Amino acid sequence: MHRLDALPWTTVLIICGTLGLAPFVPEPHIWQKLKMLFSGDLSQPIDMFDLLFHGLPWIVAGLKGIRALTRGQTS
C-alpha cells in the first residue's frame, strides 16, 4: 500500500480527469460502460476492457482516499 501513499493527489486527479473520463463527447466512456453494466448489456470483451481501463483511475483514487482517511492524512 505504500505505492498509493507515494502517488501525489494531483497526479491521481489529473489521470481521473483525463483517462477516467475520456472521450468527453458524446459522453464519458466510464459513464457509458457503467450504464451498460447496470442494464445488463456489457457482454463484449472490448466493453469489459473499456470499463476496467477507464475505471482503474477512479478505483485508485478511491483506494488512496480510503487509505488517507484511515491513516489520518490530509495531503
Side-chain angles (χ1 to χ4, degrees):
M1 284 293 181
H2 66 306
R3 291 181 190 224
L4 282 176
D5 297 336
L7 278 173
W9 271 109
T10 307
T11 304
V12 173
L13 294 177
I14 288 172
I15 293 172
C16 284
T18 55
L19 178 63
L21 294 176
F24 301 101
V25 178
E27 65 183 356
H29 254 36
I30 188 69
W31 182 249
Q32 179 186 26
K33 300 308 174 191
L34 285 173
K35 288 191 319 188
M36 289 174 72
L37 177 67
F38 289 117
S39 69
D41 295 332
L42 192 72
S43 58
Q44 298 295 320
I46 189 68
D47 292 329
M48 293 175 202
F49 173 76
D50 263 355
L51 177 63
L52 176 67
F53 186 70
H54 292 283
L56 190 60
W58 298 102
I59 293 169
V60 170
L63 291 174
K64 183 167 176 64
I66 291 168
R67 176 117 170 116
L69 287 174
T70 58
R71 292 177 51 103
Q73 296 176 346
T74 57
S75 59

